[in-house]
Structures are given as C-alpha cells and as structure tokens.
Amino acid sequence: MTAPLNERPHVVLSAAISIDGCSADASGRRLILSSPEDFDAVDALRAECDAILVGAGTIRGDNPRLVIRSETRRQERRSKVMPPDPVKVTLTESGQLDAGLDFFRMGGAEKIVYCSRVATPVLRSRLGTLATVIAVETPARPEFILADLHARGIRKLLVEGGSAVRTLFLSAGVVDEIRLAIAPFFVGEERAPRFVSSARFPHSKNRRMTIKSVEQFGDMIVIWYLLRPGSN
Ligand SMILES: NC(=O)c1ccc[n+]([C@@H]2O[C@H](COP(=O)([O-])OP(=O)(O)OC[C@H]3O[C@@H](n4cnc5c(N)ncnc54)[C@H](OP(=O)(O)O)[C@@H]3O)[C@@H](O)[C@H]2O)c1
C-alpha cells in the first residue's frame, strides 16, 4: 500500500536517455547524454530538493559527486536555512560500497545508506562516520524508504537512477513526476541499460500520464510527466 502523500516526500524521478531509450551504453562506464544546458537545469532541480537518491550500481559505476555545482544556488539554499547540498541516499543489498567513493567524500551533506541486515555490520565498520547505514529487509521497499526519509525531514526527493532504481520506484507507483531528458543520438546496443527494465507499472496503456511541460536545453528535449496530477 502506498503511504499517504503527507507522510512521504514528493518524489521527482529524473533521467537522461538516448533517442532509442538507453540510459547508458553497455560499457559500464559513464555515458554523457546531457548538454551543458541540461546539466545546469538538473543542477537547479537538485538545488530545490532535500535529498537525492541513486542506486549502488550508479555509485560504483559512475562515482557521482551529487553536489550542487553552482555557488549561487548553494548560497540561495543557505539563505533559506537549507544545507548547501541535498542529503545523499542510496540502497544496497550487497553492501559493496567503498569509503573512498565521491558519494561519501564530496560535500558536507548527510549520507544515508539503506542496506540489507546481513551486510550492515561490515558496511558500518567500513564507512564509520561517513554515512548513516540503516539496516532493512531486502529487497528494500520504496514505501519504507520514503516513510523513513519523511520522518528524517525530507519533503522533496530526487530519484536519479540508475535503471534498477527507476524500475523499483516507478513500478511501486510512488513517483509524482518524471523529468525525462532525451538526447539526440542513438546508443544502438542490445545490452545497454534502458530507462527501465521489465516490470508491471501502474501507468500502462490504460492509465496514461499527463504532460506538464516540454522544454529544450541546448540539444536536449525535456518532458515533464505528472503521474499524480494535483500533487505537484
Ligand atoms: N542516464 C541517466 O539519467 C542515468 C542516471 C543514473 C545512472 N545511470 C546509469 O545507470 C547505470 C547503473 O544502473 P543500474 O541499474 O546498474 O544500477 P542502479 O539502479 O544505480 O543500482 C542498482 C543497485 O542498487 C541496489 N538496489 C536496487 N534495488 C534495491 C532494493 N530494493 N534493495 C536494496 N538494494 C537495492 C543494488 O545494489 P547492490 O548491488 O550493492 O546490492 C543494485 O544492484 C550506470 O551505467 C549509470 O551510468 C544513468
């Protein structure tokens, strides 16, 4: 059952894909899909959020910093009595996350890891004070994570991927808005990760999403979809 909207954060899911629906190529290395203008728009979106969530696969593969790049936006957050960077959140069943990763090392924001009970003791000792490791039954349920984040004061959450995490949150029906940025090129590889993998999604052919806006950032087209009209 989905938590009432007032007991979980507003969830925005953001992804960049190629024209053939890939969110990366098959190399396992980071693929740049966005234009500089789109990166800046995502930075602005991050600056509006209390927390950013990515899967452990993205942390291991891309080593993202997940901090606000613009000093002006960081100052604006300070003036609103917000921390300069959003809280960083991840999920892992294996606990295979290294303390040297930029997720843990960059920025002063709190880092939260939802980890399987079995892997939690080792991960806690590896990360020490770098992160709060929360032991959960795995596979972790998005509803549980959202309720826990809400209890920690998170009111707006940006889910940035990767494919497994997008599939998890979208199939659970807990996403309020999708920001989909489309790059003007093909990846063309069968083994490349897609926007989502196979699952049952609440928004299938009989329940179409609503378009909120269509924007252009450099050569990227950005479509905003509302999944729960009225909740944005
Ligand atoms: N284009 C974009 O916008 C964009 C954005 C982000 C990432 N990416 C790309 O996406 C790729 C990574 O995607 P991915 O699908 O491989 O990985 P992912 O979604 O980032 O992370 C998957 C991992 O998260 C953990 N996980 C997922 N669901 C869980 C659950 N219910 N409970 C506990 N742990 C859970 C597991 O970690 P463990 O394996 O540790 O158990 C799982 O292997 C990279 O190539 C990256 O470049 C693209």
Side-chain angles (χ1 to χ4, degrees), residues 109-180:
E110 186 184 4
K111 290 95 187 172
I112 299 174
V113 184
Y114 294 94
C115 181
S116 61
R117 292 193 188 286
V118 63
T120 289
V122 172
L123 188 60
R124 273 194 189 138
S125 71
R126 196 183 308 139
L127 296 179
T129 57
L130 290 173
T132 304
V133 181
I134 300 166
V136 293
E137 299 301 332
T138 49
R141 292 172 52 244
E143 294 86 345
F144 172 85
I145 292 167
L146 294 177
D148 190 68
L149 288 175
H150 189 270
R152 292 168 192 273
I154 304 300
R155 297 293 178 264
K156 186 166 183 178
L157 174 69
L158 184 62
V159 174
E160 289 210 29
S163 190
V165 161
R166 283 191 292 271
T167 306
L168 180 71
F169 276 73
L170 284 167
S171 61
V174 295
V175 174
D176 297 291
E177 299 179 69
I178 296 175
R179 179 193 193 273
L180 187 65

Side-chain angles (χ1 to χ4, degrees), residues 42 45-47 49-54 65-68 85-90 103 112 149 154 156-161:
V42 171
L45 175 60
R46 284 179 178 174
C49 293
D50 299 310
I52 304 173
L53 184 148
V54 295
R65 294 185 301 164
L66 302 179
V67 295
I68 309 286
D85 289 304
V87 171
K88 301 188 207 180
V89 184
T90 190
F103 180 92
I112 299 174
L149 288 175
I154 304 300
K156 186 166 183 178
L157 174 69
L158 184 62
V159 174
E160 289 210 29

Side-chain angles (χ1 to χ4, degrees), residues 24-25 89 97 143 163 166 203 210 225:
D25 60 23
V89 184
L97 288 169
E143 294 86 345
S163 190
R166 283 191 292 271
H203 290 272
T210 303
Y225 292 100

